């Protein structure tokens, strides 16, 4: 797999345009479509798994599962490479207004955030959670999409 540089903190990521965030969010829906995490869906959309190394330059085999896209600023993390789990988009945003703009795509139909600012809802059979993260100086946005749940 191709090696990508993965910034250790959102403050070192470049600012994402909201269109890139939406595209990455939709890619997470493809990854979680079958009820099992499907990393091949990320590869098909142009994502590459990052490699990480320790201080001695040796590759870390059991580290976080992070993907980067050469044409987009957000990163995607997977909770696992197979089975049930979550696909998480992390994007640095220009300012906190950008988070409000992102939420506006749902036409005011999102539930109110919890005490930690997280908004949880279901979309297309999946649990979704979005939250502003980072700091006021370097704000970020996190979107987590769970694997499709069976309907009874």
């Amino acid at each position: 797999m191709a090696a990508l540089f993965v910034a250790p903190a959102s403050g070192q990521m470049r600012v994402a345009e909201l269109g890139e965030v939406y595209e990455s969010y939709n890619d997470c829906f493809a990854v979680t479509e079958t009820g099992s995490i499907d990393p091949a869906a990320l590869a098909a959309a142009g994502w590459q798994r990052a490699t990480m190394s320790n201080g001695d330059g040796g590759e870390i085999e059991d580290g976080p599962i992070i993907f980067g896209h050469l044409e987009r600023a957000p990163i995607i993390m997977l909770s696992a490479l197979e089975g049930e789990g979550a696909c998480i988009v992390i994007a640095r945003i220009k300012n906190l207004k950008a988070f409000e703009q992102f939420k506006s795509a749902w036409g005011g139909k999102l539930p109110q955030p919890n005490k930690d600012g997280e908004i949880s809802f279901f979309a297309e059979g999946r649990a979704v959670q979005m939250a502003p993260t980072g700091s006021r100086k370097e704000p970020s946005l996190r979107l987590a999409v769970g694997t499709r749940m069976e309907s009874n």
Side-chain angles (χ1 to χ4, degrees):
M1 295 190 182
L4 296 174
F5 172 75
V6 175
S10 63
Q12 296 175 343
M13 294 171 59
R14 67 182 167 90
V15 173
E17 297 296 324
L18 292 182
E20 296 175 299
V21 179
Y22 288 119
E23 289 177 280
S24 303
Y25 171 70
N26 286 329
D27 289 345
C28 273
F29 270 82
V31 169
T32 58
E33 175 64 31
T34 65
S36 180
I37 296 286
D38 180 12
L42 282 179
W47 293 88
Q48 297 176 319
R49 184 163 178 193
T51 57
M52 288 169 270
S53 57
N54 60 26
D56 298 330
E59 190 170 326
I60 298 172
E61 296 289 332
D62 59 351
I65 306 165
I66 300 172
F67 287 78
H69 197 291
L70 294 176
E71 297 175 8
R72 296 189 212 157
I75 62 170
I76 286 182
M77 294 179 67
L78 298 180
S79 62
L81 288 171
E82 58 186 22
E84 293 180 355
C87 178
I88 304 154
V89 176
I90 300 171
R92 178 142 178 242
I93 53 178
K94 184 176 181 177
N95 52 40
L96 292 175
K97 284 183 182 177
F99 181 74
E100 296 303 318
Q101 288 176 303
F102 186 79
K103 286 185 348 184
S104 71
W106 281 266
K109 296 178 183 175
L110 291 173
Q112 291 299 309
N114 67 15
K115 65 179 176 52
D116 297 322
E118 299 166 339
I119 300 169
S120 299
F121 59 98
F122 285 90
E124 299 179 31
R126 297 167 189 82
V128 177
Q129 183 185 78
M130 74 171 67
T133 59
S135 66
R136 288 195 180 278
K137 185 178 177 184
E138 295 178 334
S140 297
L141 138 64
R142 180 188 71 234
L143 287 155
V145 179
T147 47
R148 182 179 288 281
M149 304 167 95
E150 288 186 34
S151 58
N152 294 333

